[in-house]
Amino acid sequence: MTQSIKPRCIPLDLSSGDKTTELAHRIARILNPGDVVLLEGPIGAGKTHFARSLIQSLLIEPEDVPSPTFTLVQIYDLAQCELWHADLYRLSHVDEVEELGLIAAFDDAICLVEWPEKLGELRPETALTLRLSVDPCEENCRHAELEWTCDTWDGRLKGLQE
Ligand SMILES: Nc1ncnc2c1ncn2[C@@H]1O[C@H](COP(=O)(O)OP(=O)(O)OP(=O)(O)O)[C@@H](O)[C@H]1O
Ligand SMILES: [Mg+2]
């Protein structure tokens, strides 16, 4: 008999860009090599804003964090490992994910992936998903859900529950 894995979910309201930055900094502090964070949400939801804030808080020397919309991936050297920031929106075929080296990076880098829907079956089951949506009335307000199924996130995310 196959066991169903129940997803755990934390809903969060992010009333401004600064609140999203604050969340990114908190998540940054709990990440280890081999962790994958999948960033879901429509265009302009704040996926890059979140990723940029997270990366900037981990960089040893400050540097620009451009959106990887055209390069597909940007790689940063952190003290303990590489950090891969990927935007798969422009990916034309799922085979390109392997060619980019992203699947290998999932094992030992910290990976932040925008448009993870493009991964199809290559989506890592152990990942943490951040799902962002835009509030229809408040321009700078975003609604977020952090979702995961893998036990390794339970303790690490405990403090985020409001
Ligand atoms: N609460 C908020 N959280 C995140 N971003 C916000 C918030 N309020 C306003 N913004 C703004 O919304 C914009 C989000 O743009 P961003 O490039 O991060 O979106 P995206 O989800 O990466 O889009 P794309 O799918 O095109 O890559 C930024 O200009 C950011 O400053
Ligand atoms: Mg983006």
Side-chain angles (χ1 to χ4, degrees), residues 14-87:
L14 305 167
S15 56
S16 66
D18 285 350
K19 290 282 178 199
T20 302
T21 296
E22 213 174 278
L23 175 67
H25 290 180
R26 293 182 75 177
I27 302 280
R29 289 199 290 272
I30 60 157
L31 294 179
N32 298 316
D35 283 339
V36 180
V37 181
L38 305 176
L39 301 172
E40 291 186 355
I43 290 171
K47 302 179 294 296
T48 300
H49 180 103
F50 175 89
R52 181 176 292 126
S53 304
L54 190 154
I55 294 163
Q56 281 171 338
S57 78
L58 293 177
L59 286 174
I60 307 154
E61 295 285 335
E63 60 177 291
D64 274 350
V65 177
S67 171
T69 310
F70 296 103
T71 53
L72 299 188
V73 292
Q74 297 285 144
I75 303 170
Y76 302 87
D77 282 319
L78 304 183
Q80 44 174 182
C81 65
E82 287 183 342
L83 186 150
W84 285 50
H85 178 196
D87 181 339

Side-chain angles (χ1 to χ4, degrees), residues 105-123:
F106 286 164
D107 286 338
D108 48 21
I110 290 172
C111 295
L112 310 178
V113 184
E114 300 186 40
W115 296 100
E117 297 84 349
K118 295 273 186 158
L119 288 171
E121 292 184 353
L122 298 174
R123 187 183 177 109

